[in-house]
Amino acid sequence: MGNIYGDWLKAQRETAGLTQQQLADAAIMTRSHISHIEAGRRVPSKEDARRLDRALNTGNVLSSFLPEENAAVADYFEAARQLEQQASMIREFAYAFVPGILQTERYARTVLSLSFPPASEAECDRLVVTRLERSKILEDPVTPVVWALLDEGVLRRPVGGAGVMAEQLGRMIHLMECGRVRIHIMPYGAGVYPLLQSMLTLMWFEDQPPVAYSEGLLTGKLHDSPTAVTRLQNIYDLALSDALSLKESLALLRATAKDCGHHG
């Protein structure tokens, strides 16, 4: 985001004679969170902005003038997208498609072209660019730590055809082989399990409580209630315990990619 918002927040804090720590205490936040917002590295949530307004007696200015994002994503996903860029650990579950941050360009274009009514070519281009921008968090060799639990159907469904799938699976294999991402496959033989009801993303942070994001058809929900987040974490962990090991999952990915290559 641009730093006009952060600069204004800093000016109001200094006018009030507060240090970052004092403002953080008054707004029930952390000092590093305040520092990130002031430096333009983080977009505050609506609740963050409301607490800052109350702490600084700025009416609803900080709430009303939150920085606008130009990213092309569904409205219900925007808050989760922002948090995804700040997370220190991300755990994904998917039962239909490869999670967005792991997608290749051709795979993403195929998935994003499924909208109805169909998106224009220009709009589809914007959506693809935004999805690929999200994946740049993997350019850092360490942070965030990323785990993905994928239903076997994600591997078997020929999204975009054999060539696109071979490329997509190859990227996932590379990420696993270099140790950047851990991927576990839930085999068909495991039967049904609670996570099959929706996609799920769990996120942890260095300076704020963990959150969860679940998504279904044309709907998504960000969960920040400690009780709800803990329950979703437990459901994820339970499913993960029934999944294939890292070694077995990698072997299945390689075999499926090889099969796709033969049919490409």
Side-chain angles (χ1 to χ4, degrees):
M1 68 177 177
N3 203 32
I4 295 175
Y5 188 94
D7 287 343
W8 194 85
L9 171 60
K10 181 179 180 180
Q12 295 304 307
R13 174 178 62 77
E14 291 178 342
T15 297
L18 299 175
T19 64
Q20 287 184 341
Q21 186 60 61
Q22 288 171 331
L23 176 57
D25 292 341
I28 317 175
M29 298 165 66
T30 64
R31 188 208 60 76
S32 59
H33 198 172
I34 299 294
S35 176
H36 286 317
I37 296 171
E38 290 187 352
R41 294 189 297 268
R42 176 166 298 179
V43 176
S45 68
K46 291 181 180 179
E47 180 57 31
D48 288 340
R50 282 194 288 268
R51 289 200 295 263
L52 288 168
D53 272 328
R54 287 196 296 269
L56 292 169
N57 294 315
T58 48
N60 64 350
V61 176
L62 289 163
S63 303
S64 300
F65 294 98
L66 280 169
E68 294 183 1
E69 296 287 339
N70 296 319
V73 296
D75 290 343
Y76 53 76
F77 180 65
E78 177 55 30
R81 186 191 70 82
Q82 293 177 17
L83 290 167
E84 180 181 72
Q85 300 299 305
Q86 304 162 19
S88 58
M89 173 178 279
I90 298 173
R91 295 188 184 182
E92 298 271 15
F93 167 73
Y95 63 89
F97 300 120
V98 172
I101 59 174
L102 302 180
Q103 291 180 8
T104 63
E105 180 176 352
R106 290 202 296 164
Y107 187 98
R109 188 173 296 278
T110 301
V111 172
L112 293 168
S113 67
L114 297 175
S115 62
F116 185 84
S120 67
E121 184 175 349
E123 179 62 15
C124 191
D125 286 343
R126 290 183 66 236
L127 293 168
V128 171
V129 167
T130 296
R131 184 150 299 183
L132 296 179
E133 284 290 323
R134 289 173 53 204
S135 70
K136 287 184 177 179
I137 60 175
L138 297 179
E139 292 179 1
D140 185 297
V142 178
T143 304
V145 174
V146 177
W147 293 9
L149 172 60
L150 308 180
D151 189 84
E152 187 175 346
V154 174
L155 278 59
R156 303 297 187 187
R157 184 170 291 103
V159 175
V164 172
M165 283 302 298
E167 179 183 59
Q168 176 62 67
L169 295 174
R171 170 168 169 73
M172 293 158 65
I173 290 168
H174 169 71
L175 290 170
M176 290 183 71
E177 289 177 336
C178 70
R180 183 62 184 83
V181 173
R182 294 178 64 95
I183 298 175
H184 292 270
I185 307 302
M186 180 69 80
Y188 283 143
V192 295
Y193 50 101
L195 279 181
L196 277 174
Q197 298 177 79
S198 72
M199 295 169 56
L200 178 65
T201 301
L202 303 172
M203 292 178 276
W204 286 261
F205 309 88
E206 293 181 354
D207 56 2
Q208 57 184 307
V211 299
Y213 173 75
S214 59
E215 184 173 304
L217 185 62
L218 299 181
T219 183
K221 179 175 176 57
L222 188 67
H223 308 266
D224 57 8
S225 160
T227 300
V229 172
T230 298
R231 182 179 180 187
L232 290 169
Q233 290 171 347
N234 290 339
I235 292 173
Y236 185 100
D237 290 343
L238 182 63
L240 186 61
S241 70
D242 289 328
L244 298 180
S245 69
L246 198 65
K247 183 177 180 179
E248 292 169 330
S249 297
L250 181 56
L252 180 57
L253 278 163
R254 285 173 174 159
T256 308
K258 183 177 181 179
D259 187 55
C260 288
H262 289 160
H263 293 85

